[in-house]
Amino acid sequence: MSSKFFAVIVGAGPGTGRATALRFAKAYPVVLLARRPESYQDTVAEINKAGGKAIGISTDATDQKSVDSAFETIKKELPGHKLAAAVFNAAAGFARKSFLELTVEDLNTSLTGNAQGFFIFAQKTLPLLLESVPDSPHPPTLLITGATASVRGSALFSTMAAGKFALRALGQSLAREFGPRGVHVAHAIIDGVIDIPRTSAYVVNNGAEDGKINADSIAESYWNLHTQHRSGFTQEIDLRPYVEKF
Amino acid sequence: MSSKFFAVIVGAGPGTGRATALRFAKAYPVVLLARRPESYQDTVAEINKAGGKAIGISTDATDQKSVDSAFETIKKELPGHKLAAAVFNAAAGFARKSFLELTVEDLNTSLTGNAQGFFIFAQKTLPLLLESVPDSPHPPTLLITGATASVRGSALFSTMAAGKFALRALGQSLAREFGPRGVHVAHAIIDGVIDIPRTSAYVVNNGAEDGKINADSIAESYWNLHTQHRSGFTQEIDLRPYVEKF
Amino acid sequence: MSSKFFAVIVGAGPGTGRATALRFAKAYPVVLLARRPESYQDTVAEINKAGGKAIGISTDATDQKSVDSAFETIKKELPGHKLAAAVFNAAAGFARKSFLELTVEDLNTSLTGNAQGFFIFAQKTLPLLLESVPDSPHPPTLLITGATASVRGSALFSTMAAGKFALRALGQSLAREFGPRGVHVAHAIIDGVIDIPRTSAYVVNNGAEDGKINADSIAESYWNLHTQHRSGFTQEIDLRPYVEKF
Amino acid sequence: MSSKFFAVIVGAGPGTGRATALRFAKAYPVVLLARRPESYQDTVAEINKAGGKAIGISTDATDQKSVDSAFETIKKELPGHKLAAAVFNAAAGFARKSFLELTVEDLNTSLTGNAQGFFIFAQKTLPLLLESVPDSPHPPTLLITGATASVRGSALFSTMAAGKFALRALGQSLAREFGPRGVHVAHAIIDGVIDIPRTSAYVVNNGAEDGKINADSIAESYWNLHTQHRSGFTQEIDLRPYVEKF
C-alpha cells in the first residue's frame, strides 16, 4: 500500500474512533484528532508500537482555527502525503430531557458539535480528497458516523436528532456534489449501543452476548466502504446488533 | 366559534404566512409575527377591514427576547385568550452555492433560522397549547412549514438541507412527546415553488397553469390539519403541484 | 354540488369504507362495492334514507370480471354520471405467523387482495377519472388505504407487508404518471387500530379515550385530500391516534 | 476456510449472479440456480477449472417443486454441507409501459418473480441457515438484490416497483424475525445499470467511465455483508455509480 497517503479521524476517542484508527492504520499513517490527549494517546502509542504510524493532535472540531492549526501540523508531520480517507466521528454532548426543560444552549451544543463540526472538517478535507482522486489506492472517502437519531426524532431526543439530522443532510448534499468528482461520501447509521468501557454497565438487549456493537465491526464496515469501487458506492448503511429492536 | 382562542403565525410574509393568517382568521383572532412591518401590515389591515381580528408584531424569531416580548404584547392585546394554533413559517436566508464556497455563517444562518427559531417558538407556544387541550375547539396544533430540502440533501443545497432536516427532527420529537398530551404537531413538506409576487417571473414546470403552489391551498391544508380529530392525527404531509416532478 | 358526478368505494364494510361512503355521500351519489351484501347494505340504506343516493354492488375486487360487471351496473344505475372519486379500501386476509409457518397461499392472498385488487380497480377507474378532469368539482381523485405495514416490514407481518408495500408502490407510480394529467392519487398510512365493532374488545394504547382511530376522522381526511387544489396535492399522509407509539 | 459450508445463488446469470458466485467460491463451494443452463454453465466451468467447486442446477425459482428438487440435488451433491450464505438475485421480466397498457399478467410476473420467488427461496434456506448459526465461519446470511424500484415507484415502472417493494418488505420482516436468531438478512438497492454484455450498448451517465456498476463491486459488497460481525449487521445498503443522479 502506498506510503504517500494518510487517513484522518476526528473524534478519536474509545469506540468507533479508536477502532477506525487501528483499522486504517493497517494501510495508512493515521492522524487522530480529539479535544483532549487522553482520548487518543493510548491508541497513537499502540499503533506506533505495532509498527504503524499515528499522530495525535488536540483539536476542537467545532473551531475553525483549531482545525486549521491541526491541518498545518499534519502538513509538517506527514510531508508530501495526500489524504485518502477522512472520518467524522465527533460526538456532541447530549441532554436527554423533556423538550420544555431544554435550553437553546442544549440545542446549539448539538448543532455545533454535529453540523458545524462536520462542516468545518468537510471544508478542510474535501479539497485534499479531490487532489487524491487521480492516484489514491481507493476512491478518496469522507465517512460520517450517524446514529438512530439521524433518521428518527424520538421523544426526549429532540436536540440530538436536530444535530444528527442536520449532519445527515450535509452528508447527502456532499455525496451528490462530490461523488461525480470522484470522492466517496458515506453516512453510517449506528443503531445501538457501542461496547466501550463507558457503556460496560449498560444492560441492553436483555444482556444478550454481542448485544452491544463491537467497535471493530464498525471499523471493518468503514474500511469496506472506503475500498468500494467507484462504480458501486454506498451512500448510507445501517449497523446494529443482531438482537437490536428496530 | 369561541372568541377566546387565537392563532399565531411566525413568518407572516406574503405566501404561506399571509394565506394561513387569512384562513385561520375565519375562526380565530390571529397574531402575525415577522421581522419587518412591511411583511404583515397589509394582511393585518385586510383581516381587520373584513371584520376579523388581526395583530401584527415585529419580531425576530431567532431571538429569545424578541419572542418573549411578542408574547407579552399578545397577552395584553388579547387578554384571556388561549392559543389554539401556532404556525412556524419563518424563512431563513439561503445560499445556493457549491459547498466549498459556503461559509460557517451560511450554515449558521440556516440552522439558526430554522432550528433555533423553531426551538424558541415551540418552547413559547407548547405550554400555551397544553393549557388549551381541555377546551380548544380543535386539538391545539403546532404546524411547521418544511420544504423539499427537509427530506433530501441535494447538491448545492447543503446548508438549507441542514436547517430543514434539523427542523423536521424537532417536529418529530415534539409530535412524539406532546401528541400523547393532546397537542397536534405536524410538519408539511412544501415541494414546489409558491406562487407569490417574488416568484412571478420564475418559469417552473414548463410554465404549466397551477404549476406553482397556490398559497391558499397550503393554508387550507393547514386548516385541515388543525381540525383533525385527535384519534387521527397526521404527522407529516407533502404538498406539491400536480405537474411537479418528484 | 353537481349531481352528475359520483364516487365509488371498494371495500365498503364497517370502518373506513362505511365512513367514507357517508362523508362523500354529502356531495355525490356513492357506489359501495364489497364482496358480501352484509358489508354495505346498512350503509346504503342509511344514506338513501337520509336523502342521499347510494348503491351497493356485490363485487370481488380481485376478479376482473366481477369488477367489470360492477362498472356495467354503475353505468346503468347512474346514467350520464362521471367519476369524481375512487377509494380503494379493500382488505386482504392476514395471517400473523412466523415466516416458516406461512404458505405461498398466505402470501398470494395478500398480494392479490392488495396489489392485484388495486391494479384492477385503478385500471377501471383511471380512464373515468381522466374524463372528469375538465369539469369535476374537485380534481378527480384515487385514494388508497394503507397501513403501518405499508412502510414497515415487522416480524410476523411479512405477507401483510409484502402486499401493502406493493400497493404503496403502485400508488406512487400512478401519482407520478397521472398527477400531471390532473388526477390526484393519494395514499394514506393508517397507523393504528380503527374503532369498529370488530375491534371493540381490543385494548390498545392502554385503553386511552380515542386511542383507536375514529373512522369518521379518516373519512374527513379523505374528503380533505379529495378537495385539495391541484397546485397543492398531497401524495401521502399518515393518520394515527394522538397516543399511538410510532 | 471450512469445506463443510456452501453458498447458493438463485438468479445466477451474467452480472450480479455470476460475480457473486465467483466471489463466494473463494471461500465456499457454490451452487448456481437459474432457469436455463446457458445462464450458469460458463461460470460453473470457470470456477471448477480454477480449482473451486461449483454446481449448476436448472431451477424455476417461482415454482415450489422445482426449488424443492434443486435442494434435493444439493443434498446429494454436497453431502454433509451446511449453508453459509443464500443470495436471491432472480430477475422478473419487466414491462416499461403506461399503466393503462399493462395487464394483470404483467403485474403478476413481477409479484411472482420477486415476492413469490423470494418467499419460496427464503422458506427453503432459512431453516438451513438457522442450523448453521452455531458454527458457520460468518453469520449465516440471506442476501437480497433490490433496485431503485425497491424504494421508488416511478411513472411507467408500476409493476416493477410493486414486485420490488414487496420483496423489500419481506426482507425487512425476515431481518426482524431471524436476526435475533443469528441469521443476517440484508437487502441491497442496486441503483444504476450493471455493466454486462446485455447493457454494453446503453449510454448512461453521459458515457462516463465506470458509469455502469461493475458486477464485481456488487459481489465484493455482498461478501462484506456476509462477513459482518453479528454485533454490527447492516440491513440495507445502496450501491450506485459515483456519477449516478439520485
Side-chain angles (χ1 to χ4, degrees):
Chain A
M1 189 62 65
S2 167
S3 62
K4 298 297 233 156
F5 288 87
F6 75 104
V8 60
I9 297 148
V10 65
T16 305
R18 171 185 153 79
T20 303
L22 289 167
R23 181 63 187 84
F24 281 63
K26 293 184 191 176
Y28 306 116
V30 291
V31 180
L32 291 82
L33 309 181
R35 207 173 293 255
R36 297 172 309 149
E38 306 89 277
S39 295
Y40 59 73
Q41 59 199 8
D42 288 356
T43 310
V44 166
E46 186 176 337
I47 291 168
N48 287 323
K49 195 174 167 189
K53 180 163 180 59
I55 297 163
I57 307 171
S58 297
T59 312
D60 177 355
T62 66
D63 182 74
Q64 182 78 57
K65 283 184 189 160
S66 179
V67 175
D68 286 347
S69 163
F71 278 83
E72 285 304 311
T73 303
I74 292 170
K75 207 182 287 183
K76 282 176 209 147
E77 297 278 336
L78 295 171
H81 281 66
K82 295 166 82 174
L83 184 60
V87 181
F88 183 79
N89 184 56
F94 161 55
R96 188 178 187 280
K97 287 183 186 168
S98 168
F99 180 69
L100 295 175
E101 293 166 19
L102 293 163
T103 64
V104 170
E105 287 66 39
D106 291 323
L107 175 70
N108 285 328
T109 296
S110 178
L111 295 176
T112 303
N114 286 293
Q116 181 173 315
F118 175 68
F119 185 93
I120 291 170
F121 184 69
Q123 285 207 326
K124 205 76 200 171
T125 54
L126 278 165
L128 303 179
L129 293 165
L130 286 168
E131 282 175 29
S132 303
V133 169
D135 59 352
S136 178
H138 304 288
T141 306
L142 176 57
L143 295 173
I144 306 161
T145 299
T148 318
S150 302
V151 287
R152 182 185 158 84
S154 297
L156 309 187
F157 285 77
S158 59
T159 53
M160 185 179 182
K164 292 291 183 198
F165 269 57
L167 175 58
R168 181 172 179 252
L170 292 172
Q172 277 188 15
S173 290
L174 299 190
R176 290 186 167 104
E177 182 173 352
F178 294 93
R181 299 176 66 185
V183 175
H184 184 185
V185 182
H187 178 259
I189 299 166
I190 311 298
D191 184 23
V193 171
I194 301 176
D195 188 11
I196 49 174
R198 187 173 58 80
T199 65
S200 62
Y202 296 11
V203 177
V204 296
N205 291 317
N206 301 314
E209 194 185 356
D210 293 327
K212 295 173 194 165
I213 310 177
N214 185 324
D216 293 338
S217 78
I218 299 176
E220 193 64 29
S221 288
Y222 280 18
W223 179 255
N224 289 338
L225 288 169
H226 173 51
T227 57
Q228 284 183 321
H229 187 257
R230 69 174 176 171
S231 80
F233 278 168
T234 290
Q235 210 285 301
E236 189 161 86
I237 55 165
D238 51 309
L239 290 166
R240 70 176 61 78
Y242 67 115
V243 285
E244 189 79 18
K245 286 269 185 304
F246 73 101
Chain B
M1 188 62 61
S2 167
S3 62
K4 297 297 228 157
F5 288 87
F6 74 104
V8 60
I9 297 147
V10 65
T16 304
R18 171 186 153 80
T20 303
L22 291 166
R23 181 64 188 83
F24 281 62
K26 294 184 190 176
Y28 306 117
V30 291
V31 180
L32 291 82
L33 309 181
R35 208 173 291 255
R36 297 172 308 149
E38 306 88 276
S39 296
Y40 58 73
Q41 59 199 8
D42 288 356
T43 309
V44 167
E46 184 176 339
I47 291 169
N48 287 323
K49 194 174 168 190
K53 181 164 179 58
I55 297 162
I57 307 171
S58 298
T59 312
D60 176 356
T62 65
D63 181 74
Q64 182 78 58
K65 283 184 189 160
S66 179
V67 175
D68 286 347
S69 164
F71 278 82
E72 284 306 310
T73 303
I74 293 170
K75 207 182 286 182
K76 284 176 208 146
E77 297 278 337
L78 296 171
H81 280 67
K82 295 167 81 175
L83 183 60
V87 181
F88 183 79
N89 185 56
F94 161 55
R96 188 178 186 282
K97 287 184 187 169
S98 168
F99 180 69
L100 296 175
E101 292 167 19
L102 293 163
T103 64
V104 170
E105 287 66 38
D106 291 322
L107 175 70
N108 285 328
T109 296
S110 178
L111 295 177
T112 304
N114 287 293
Q116 181 173 314
F118 175 68
F119 185 94
I120 291 170
F121 184 69
Q123 285 208 327
K124 205 76 200 172
T125 55
L126 279 165
L128 303 179
L129 294 165
L130 286 168
E131 283 175 26
S132 303
V133 169
D135 59 352
S136 176
H138 304 288
T141 307
L142 176 56
L143 295 173
I144 306 160
T145 299
T148 317
S150 302
V151 288
R152 182 185 159 83
S154 297
L156 309 187
F157 286 77
S158 59
T159 53
M160 185 179 184
K164 291 292 182 198
F165 270 56
L167 175 58
R168 181 171 179 252
L170 291 172
Q172 278 189 13
S173 290
L174 298 189
R176 290 186 168 104
E177 181 173 353
F178 294 93
R181 300 176 67 185
V183 176
H184 184 184
V185 182
H187 178 258
I189 298 165
I190 310 298
D191 184 24
V193 171
I194 302 177
D195 188 12
I196 50 174
R198 186 173 57 80
T199 63
S200 61
Y202 296 11
V203 177
V204 295
N205 291 317
N206 302 314
E209 195 185 355
D210 292 327
K212 294 174 195 166
I213 309 177
N214 185 324
D216 292 338
S217 78
I218 298 175
E220 194 64 29
S221 288
Y222 280 17
W223 179 256
N224 289 338
L225 288 169
H226 173 51
T227 58
Q228 283 184 321
H229 187 256
R230 69 173 174 170
S231 80
F233 279 169
T234 290
Q235 209 285 301
E236 190 161 87
I237 55 164
D238 51 308
L239 290 166
R240 69 175 62 77
Y242 68 114
V243 284
E244 190 79 18
K245 285 270 185 304
F246 73 104
Chain C
M1 188 64 62
S2 167
S3 62
K4 297 296 231 162
F5 288 87
F6 74 104
V8 61
I9 297 148
V10 66
T16 305
R18 172 185 152 79
T20 302
L22 290 167
R23 181 63 188 84
F24 281 63
K26 294 185 189 175
Y28 307 115
V30 292
V31 179
L32 291 82
L33 308 181
R35 208 173 293 254
R36 298 171 308 148
E38 307 88 276
S39 296
Y40 59 74
Q41 58 199 7
D42 288 356
T43 310
V44 167
E46 185 176 338
I47 291 169
N48 287 323
K49 195 174 167 189
K53 181 164 180 58
I55 297 162
I57 306 171
S58 297
T59 312
D60 176 355
T62 65
D63 182 74
Q64 181 79 56
K65 282 183 189 161
S66 179
V67 175
D68 286 347
S69 163
F71 278 82
E72 284 304 311
T73 303
I74 293 170
K75 207 183 285 184
K76 283 175 208 146
E77 297 278 336
L78 296 171
H81 281 66
K82 295 166 82 174
L83 183 60
V87 181
F88 183 79
N89 184 56
F94 161 55
R96 188 178 186 280
K97 287 184 187 168
S98 167
F99 179 69
L100 296 175
E101 293 166 20
L102 293 163
T103 64
V104 170
E105 286 66 39
D106 291 323
L107 175 70
N108 285 329
T109 296
S110 178
L111 295 177
T112 303
N114 286 293
Q116 182 173 315
F118 176 68
F119 185 94
I120 292 169
F121 184 69
Q123 285 206 327
K124 205 75 199 172
T125 55
L126 278 166
L128 303 179
L129 293 166
L130 286 169
E131 282 175 28
S132 302
V133 170
D135 60 351
S136 177
H138 304 288
T141 306
L142 176 57
L143 294 173
I144 306 160
T145 300
T148 317
S150 303
V151 287
R152 182 185 158 84
S154 297
L156 310 187
F157 285 78
S158 58
T159 53
M160 184 177 183
K164 291 293 183 198
F165 269 57
L167 175 57
R168 181 172 179 252
L170 292 172
Q172 277 188 15
S173 290
L174 299 189
R176 290 187 167 105
E177 181 174 352
F178 294 94
R181 299 176 66 185
V183 175
H184 184 184
V185 181
H187 177 259
I189 299 165
I190 311 298
D191 184 23
V193 171
I194 301 176
D195 189 11
I196 49 175
R198 186 173 58 80
T199 64
S200 62
Y202 296 10
V203 177
V204 295
N205 291 316
N206 301 314
E209 193 185 356
D210 293 327
K212 295 173 195 166
I213 310 177
N214 186 324
D216 293 338
S217 78
I218 299 175
E220 194 64 29
S221 288
Y222 281 17
W223 179 255
N224 290 338
L225 288 169
H226 173 51
T227 57
Q228 283 183 322
H229 187 256
R230 69 174 175 169
S231 80
F233 279 168
T234 290
Q235 209 286 302
E236 189 162 85
I237 55 165
D238 51 309
L239 290 165
R240 69 175 61 77
Y242 67 115
V243 285
E244 189 79 18
K245 285 271 186 304
F246 72 103
Chain D
M1 189 61 65
S2 168
S3 61
K4 295 298 227 159
F5 288 89
F6 75 103
V8 60
I9 297 148
V10 66
T16 305
R18 171 185 153 78
T20 303
L22 290 167
R23 180 64 188 84
F24 281 62
K26 293 184 190 175
Y28 306 116
V30 292
V31 180
L32 291 82
L33 309 181
R35 209 173 291 255
R36 298 171 308 149
E38 306 88 276
S39 296
Y40 58 73
Q41 57 200 9
D42 289 355
T43 309
V44 167
E46 184 176 339
I47 291 170
N48 287 323
K49 194 174 167 190
K53 182 164 180 57
I55 297 164
I57 307 172
S58 297
T59 312
D60 176 355
T62 66
D63 181 73
Q64 181 79 57
K65 283 183 189 160
S66 178
V67 175
D68 286 346
S69 164
F71 278 82
E72 284 305 311
T73 303
I74 293 171
K75 207 183 287 184
K76 283 176 208 146
E77 298 277 338
L78 296 172
H81 280 66
K82 296 167 81 174
L83 183 61
V87 181
F88 183 79
N89 184 55
F94 162 56
R96 189 177 184 281
K97 287 184 187 168
S98 168
F99 179 70
L100 295 175
E101 292 166 20
L102 293 162
T103 64
V104 171
E105 287 66 39
D106 291 322
L107 175 69
N108 285 328
T109 296
S110 177
L111 295 176
T112 303
N114 286 293
Q116 181 173 315
F118 176 69
F119 185 94
I120 292 170
F121 184 70
Q123 285 207 326
K124 206 75 200 172
T125 55
L126 278 165
L128 303 180
L129 293 165
L130 286 168
E131 283 176 27
S132 303
V133 169
D135 59 350
S136 176
H138 304 288
T141 306
L142 176 56
L143 295 173
I144 306 160
T145 300
T148 317
S150 302
V151 288
R152 182 187 159 83
S154 298
L156 310 187
F157 286 77
S158 59
T159 54
M160 184 178 184
K164 291 292 182 198
F165 270 56
L167 175 59
R168 181 171 178 254
L170 292 172
Q172 277 188 15
S173 290
L174 298 189
R176 290 186 168 105
E177 182 174 352
F178 294 93
R181 300 177 66 184
V183 176
H184 185 185
V185 182
H187 178 258
I189 299 165
I190 311 298
D191 184 23
V193 171
I194 301 177
D195 188 11
I196 50 175
R198 186 173 58 79
T199 64
S200 62
Y202 296 11
V203 177
V204 295
N205 291 317
N206 301 314
E209 196 186 352
D210 292 327
K212 295 173 194 166
I213 310 178
N214 186 324
D216 293 337
S217 77
I218 299 176
E220 193 63 29
S221 288
Y222 280 17
W223 179 255
N224 290 338
L225 288 169
H226 173 50
T227 58
Q228 282 183 322
H229 187 255
R230 68 174 176 170
S231 80
F233 279 168
T234 290
Q235 209 286 303
E236 190 161 87
I237 55 164
D238 51 309
L239 291 166
R240 69 175 61 77
Y242 68 113
V243 283
E244 190 78 18
K245 285 271 185 304
F246 72 103

